Amino acid sequence: MKKYICTSCDYEYDPALGDPEHGIAPGTAFEDIPADWRCPVCGISKDAFIPLEDG
C-alpha cells in the first residue's frame, strides 16, 4: 500500500500504521479512509494529501 504525505505540514500517512488515535486502524489504505478524516498534525483535509513517490 502506498504512503501519502500532507502538502501542508509533511505528515506521512503510512497505511501499515494507520491513525488509531483518530479511528483509522493499521492496515487501512489511504483510499479507504473516510472523506472527513483530517491530518492529525495540522488538521487539513484528506484531499490535500499526495502519494509519496517512494511509498
Side-chain angles (χ1 to χ4, degrees):
M1 286 186 280
K2 210 174 241 273
K3 293 180 183 179
Y4 282 73
I5 190 164
C6 177
T7 58
S8 176
C9 72
D10 292 333
Y11 165 80
E12 289 183 19
Y13 175 76
D14 183 345
L17 303 175
D19 181 19
E21 291 182 21
H22 298 98
I24 308 300
T28 303
F30 188 79
E31 296 81 3
D32 296 332
I33 295 173
D36 63 351
W37 177 82
R38 296 194 160 295
C39 176
V41 174
C42 71
I44 203 162
S45 66
K46 178 184 172 186
D47 60 5
F49 279 72
I50 58 171
L52 269 176
E53 293 301 317
D54 62 356

